[in-house]
Amino acid sequence: MRGARTRHWLRPALLLFLLTLVVFARAAFSTEAFSARDVQRSYYPLKMYWAERVSHLELPQWFPYDGMGQPYISALVSAALHPLNLLYLVLPLESALKWGLLLSYFAAALGVFGLARRLGLMQAGAFTAASLYAFSGYLISLSNNPHYVHAAAALPFVFWATHAYLFDGRAAALLGAAVSLAWVALAGDPQNFFVAQALVAAMCFIAPPPQRGATLVRAGVLLASGAALAAAQIVPALAVREHIAAQNYSLDTALSWSAHPLRVVEFFTGPLWLDASAQRMLPGIATAFDAAHEAAWVDSQHLTPLALILALTAMSVASFRARTGGWLAGWLFLFVLWLGRFTPIAGLFHALPLWGSFRYPEKLTPWLLLGLSLAAGAGLHHLALEAHARRRALQWSVLVTASLLFGALLETALHWPSTALAQWASLGSLASEQLHANIVQHLGTSAAVSGLLAALLYLARTRPQALSGIAALVAVHLVAQGAGLYWLTGLETLETKPELLSHLTAPPKVHPRVLSRVGTAAVPDALGAVSLPTFMAYTTAESLRPLTPTRWGVESMSSYLPAAHRALDKSEEALQAFAPLWGTEYVLTREGQTVDSAQVVARSAELKLSLWKFEHARPRAYLSLAAALRPPLSAASAQALMLGSPPLSQIDAAPAPANTDITAPVSLGTVVFEQYAPEHVVLWVEAAVDSYLVLNDAAHPGWEATVDNQKAPLLLANEVARAVAVPAGKHRVAMHYATPGLQFGALVSLVTLLALVAFAVWNRTA
């Protein structure tokens, strides 16, 4: 029986793996690497840092390269504890990220296939659902944020295993569901982890009333197990929650990258808003959808009109039950949340205790895709069983084909709706023509595909085997639309050291620190022989933004990751004003911008960039007079800013009066680094008078200080830096960082894993 089950799975698994390779053929069969947006900006630096530390048998707990330093494990986006990180120990950086992504796409498809089979769908319906979910425009476009792909890949497994556990009580299913839930949290996607738990709880109410009590108990066990299994990640994140920049999110920030209602059209017509030559959304359309961002969260949300037809067929022929209505209501509720700022509901959710830390409603897209994909798979399932379903599907396909064809002809003859959309988005002539071409092409192609479906359904009246082509038609259409959606760049571009970095200097044991005020590079009208991905990769690195300098041991003062100290959540102008006080010597600007009290030390004529150096920046560590102590402004700010208990006074180490050398006040003494490691800093201080040692690195919960091996209070200087009181004389000052809550969380995770495995083994043998 086990052999038959293996054969039953082998063929679809092999087909889904081959489909993954076909969709990502440009990546799988070349040496080029993924490079779009956050892949280069943050994921490569974060994973390079992780691999370097772990390969030396060190646990990376502090990340010194962003925002004057911040917690590494507590920053969920780092996914420091995710199992796929092991790839970075055996493969080169870019290859590890590439194959981690491809394996996740395959896993996403396999998970949906298993879930669909668990729900009773035939293989063809399950295969169609798997293709629609894993190779949708959203998930392919999300290759610029690998951790969210890793999380999305686990969501189908959550419900596959949850269904088996809640309704069959299988212990192995409890283990699988808890591991899948933890996988989502460890991938750095707390928002979808939260939603997954809510939906797991909701599944109890689809059970028949006599079984509802048992399923509620099982759901409670499962939710507790999933949270406990991820405790090593969750507890450290909660421990620093009140101290990080993510807590400063306003409602506007949280609801940016809401899904514009027009994006719904993409689901069933193809990537209408895509600039195909640039492999990204038309910039004017992206800004019109969300004025706060120059680029879209994802460049395409497309599926295929076949998904609409099959889903409508399923809804038309399925007998309405409370269970069906419940799932539909849940899907519609998530759809409303997905629209974000375009409805009032998401704003109300922002007031919830944990939901306020989340942002970007478009992150909820996987749930909508999962529902649509399963509904489409169910539609194909009904086609194979019921003549009535085939007749209904034929009606829907004729209606959809006619509508799409009418839209394509209307656009061809009258340039409508492209003219109205171009005016609304203030598109230039080139972008307007591209939008016109997109509408004609994708509406025409979608009409042809839905017309082919109608032909297959018509043939199936006398030749039922014609239905076998529907799953293939869905897969072919998805491949044709999605194969060009992801960016690749040559390794030589990603690994070339930016020219301006050679002009940065720093004292021994200390990394240079730079503030980049260069935003997204303007894309010229003509790139010549250079592709847009290569151009963007090159300019991102040369602009020293945001984490790209990490590759070459250079720190960024501005914060990009959400666990940065909340005091750094300032405008670029304010950060530039604070930069010399916070030990940042260099600022990178565009030509024409000026920096007070600084001089240009290098220029990039090609990109029109200027590198400035402050004349009197404070050093990384220095002594400040005790007379600079003052009470905090309010008790609330003390609790938010101070470290230690009871709250300690803040040091106001403000700039010295004019004509005073603040870089090295000789009368106060000297400071020399003995060791400057991420989690452990040792300094020798020789103070002429009682003073305060100020270290221009961010203070966070978890840092402790000793003076001559005696524990000393750690103070906060200048809103963000660490400080320790030192008496006159020579002293050894050490600062050590340990992730708050890590030991407790890791212990809970380990005990939970052992208990789940033991329970599964005992249940199997019993």
Side-chain angles (χ1 to χ4, degrees):
M1 181 176 178
R2 184 176 299 177
R5 188 182 304 164
T6 301
R7 289 192 296 274
H8 181 74
W9 271 89
L10 188 59
R11 182 169 175 266
L14 181 59
L15 287 174
L16 289 171
F17 183 70
L18 291 175
L19 187 57
T20 305
L21 294 182
V22 170
V23 172
F24 293 98
R26 291 187 299 121
F29 303 111
S30 76
T31 59
E32 291 190 311
F34 286 99
S35 62
R37 236 161 58 188
D38 278 357
V39 169
Q40 182 188 11
R41 295 177 184 177
S42 59
Y43 288 105
Y44 282 143
L46 285 170
K47 298 308 176 186
M48 182 191 73
Y49 180 73
W50 185 92
E52 285 182 352
R53 297 293 306 279
V54 174
S55 64
H56 289 89
L57 303 180
E58 299 171 349
L59 179 65
Q61 300 188 63
W62 183 257
F63 186 68
Y65 293 102
D66 182 58
M68 299 176 67
Q70 59 180 280
Y72 188 79
I73 294 175
S74 302
L76 291 168
V77 71
S78 70
L81 305 177
H82 198 275
L84 281 177
N85 287 343
L86 297 174
L87 288 174
Y88 294 92
L89 298 178
V90 296
L91 293 174
L93 177 68
E94 292 82 2
S95 296
L97 186 138
K98 177 195 295 187
W99 286 103
L101 266 175
L102 298 191
L103 288 173
S104 290
Y105 285 110
F106 170 59
L110 201 61
V112 175
F113 182 86
L115 174 59
R117 294 290 288 158
R118 170 73 194 177
L119 296 176
L121 301 191
M122 293 180 177
Q123 280 205 0
F127 185 88
T128 297
S131 303
L132 286 168
Y133 181 75
F135 309 116
S136 60
Y138 177 84
L139 245 65
I140 295 175
S141 297
L142 206 61
S143 60
N144 62 24
N145 262 302
H147 289 170
Y148 293 110
V149 178
H150 302 333
L155 298 179
F157 288 95
V158 171
F159 291 99
W160 179 7
T162 296
H163 193 278
Y165 174 61
L166 291 185
F167 302 111
D168 296 346
R170 294 163 53 192
L174 171 61
L175 174 62
V179 168
S180 301
L181 268 174
W183 190 280
V184 177
L186 295 177
D189 191 354
Q191 183 167 321
N192 281 326
F193 175 76
F194 182 88
V195 174
Q197 289 203 309
L199 292 178
V200 165
M203 285 182 71
C204 297
F205 298 98
I206 67 174
Q211 299 178 18
R212 198 160 290 168
T215 54
L216 280 170
V217 172
R218 288 173 182 166
V221 172
L222 170 56
L223 295 177
S225 300
L229 202 55
Q233 179 67 80
I234 294 173
V235 175
L238 292 176
V240 302
R241 182 171 170 267
E242 296 298 325
H243 301 266
I244 62 176
Q247 281 303 102
N248 290 355
Y249 292 156
S250 64
L251 180 60
D252 288 340
T253 300
L255 296 184
S256 60
W257 274 324
S258 295
H260 194 282
L262 282 176
R263 301 221 69 171
V264 178
V265 180
E266 254 184 310
F267 277 175
F268 313 115
T269 58
L272 291 180
W273 322 116
L274 194 70
D275 181 351
S277 62
Q279 300 171 301
R280 67 171 185 172
M281 182 180 282
L282 292 163
I285 293 290
T287 306
F289 282 169
D290 193 332
H293 300 282
E294 297 178 356
W297 172 248
V298 292
D299 292 312
S300 180
Q301 295 268 16
H302 75 263
L303 277 170
T304 168
L306 306 182
L308 174 64
I309 295 167
L310 293 172
L312 288 172
T313 300
M315 294 298 296
S316 301
V317 303
S319 58
F320 186 85
R321 292 174 293 179
R323 180 183 303 183
T324 307
W327 283 119
L328 180 60
W331 190 92
L332 290 173
F333 179 71
L334 287 173
F335 177 78
V336 171
L337 286 181
W338 178 72
L339 293 173
R341 61 188 171 87
F342 298 102
T343 72
I345 302 298
L348 297 176
F349 264 64
H350 185 69
L352 295 178
L354 290 178
W355 196 267
S357 300
F358 302 149
R359 55 179 178 168
Y360 310 157
E362 276 195 78
K363 290 181 182 179
L364 296 172
T365 305
W367 300 109
L368 305 184
L369 291 175
L370 188 57
L372 279 171
S373 301
L374 290 171
L380 185 53
H381 173 84
H382 284 289
L383 292 182
L385 297 176
E386 307 166 26
H388 171 61
R390 293 193 286 274
R391 289 193 298 271
R392 187 58 60 88
L394 181 58
Q395 294 168 359
W396 282 119
S397 59
V398 170
L399 178 61
V400 170
T401 301
S403 301
L404 292 169
L405 193 57
F406 176 75
L409 292 174
L410 187 66
E411 180 62 38
T412 302
L414 302 178
H415 279 232
W416 194 92
S418 66
T419 302
L421 290 169
Q423 291 177 348
W424 167 68
S426 303
L427 299 183
S429 57
L430 287 176
S432 299
E433 285 303 314
Q434 176 72 68
L435 180 59
H436 165 71
N438 282 358
I439 293 175
V440 173
Q441 175 190 344
H442 292 299
L443 264 62
T445 302
S446 295
V449 170
S450 53
L452 282 173
L453 175 61
L456 289 172
L457 291 167
Y458 184 79
L459 283 174
R461 296 190 309 165
T462 56
R463 300 178 183 178
Q465 61 269 29
L467 293 175
S468 61
I470 296 177
L473 184 60
V474 170
V476 168
H477 195 206
L478 289 171
V479 170
Q481 293 185 118
L485 270 180
Y486 53 93
W487 282 16
L488 297 175
T489 302
L491 295 180
E492 65 281 357
T493 303
L494 295 170
E495 295 172 354
T496 300
K497 183 177 180 178
E499 176 188 353
L500 292 175
L501 287 185
S502 60
H503 298 276
L504 303 183
T505 60
K509 302 183 185 295
V510 175
H511 301 297
R513 182 180 289 165
V514 63
L515 170 66
S516 176
R517 293 199 58 192
V518 180
T520 306
V523 180
D525 293 333
L527 291 170
V530 179
S531 68
L532 181 63
T534 299
F535 172 82
M536 294 301 291
Y538 169 71
T539 55
T540 297
E542 293 291 332
S543 300
L544 309 184
R545 187 173 182 135
L547 304 184
T548 52
T550 302
R551 277 183 179 258
W552 298 279
V554 174
E555 300 176 9
S556 172
M557 179 190 141
S558 56
S559 59
Y560 190 70
L561 303 178
H565 197 289
R566 61 191 304 170
L568 290 167
D569 187 19
K570 303 180 185 296
S571 67
E572 288 189 342
E573 292 78 8
L575 287 176
Q576 180 175 303
F578 277 91
L581 177 63
W582 288 344
T584 301
E585 286 190 280
Y586 298 96
V587 178
L588 184 68
T589 69
R590 296 195 183 278
E591 279 190 6
Q593 292 179 297
T594 59
V595 180
D596 293 338
S597 304
Q599 58 182 356
V600 175
V601 293
R603 284 191 170 91
S604 170
E606 182 181 14
L607 295 178
K608 297 181 171 55
L609 303 176
S610 299
L611 182 66
W612 301 74
K613 184 174 183 179
F614 286 108
E615 297 173 0
H616 298 296
R618 293 232 173 152
R620 186 63 58 93
Y622 63 94
L623 292 170
S624 174
L625 288 173
L629 266 177
R630 68 169 173 82
L633 297 177
S634 68
S637 65
Q639 294 296 331
L641 295 174
M642 299 307 133
L643 301 176
S645 181
L648 298 160
S649 297
Q650 182 177 357
I651 298 174
D652 182 14
N659 303 320
T660 302
D661 182 6
I662 64 172
T663 60
V666 226
S667 58
L668 295 184
T670 59
V671 178
V672 177
F673 283 99
E674 177 186 298
Q675 182 182 357
Y676 190 59
E679 294 87 17
H680 194 63
V681 182
V682 179
L683 309 99
W684 283 99
V685 177
E686 191 158 355
V689 294
D690 291 352
S691 312
Y692 284 84
L693 169 66
V694 178
L695 179 63
N696 265 320
D697 287 337
H700 273 271
W703 278 104
E704 293 183 347
T706 61
V707 177
D708 298 330
N709 297 319
Q710 299 297 314
K711 191 170 181 178
L714 188 66
L715 306 172
L716 188 69
N718 305 321
E719 294 190 77
V720 65
R722 298 172 226 150
V724 179
V726 290
K730 188 172 183 178
H731 305 280
R732 184 180 185 270
V733 179
M735 297 183 188
H736 179 74
Y737 180 77
T739 304
L742 178 60
Q743 289 186 353
F744 173 74
L747 179 62
V748 171
S749 295
L750 180 60
V751 170
T752 303
L753 179 60
L754 293 176
L756 289 172
V757 171
F759 180 58
V761 171
W762 174 82
N763 189 269
R764 183 181 179 86
T765 55

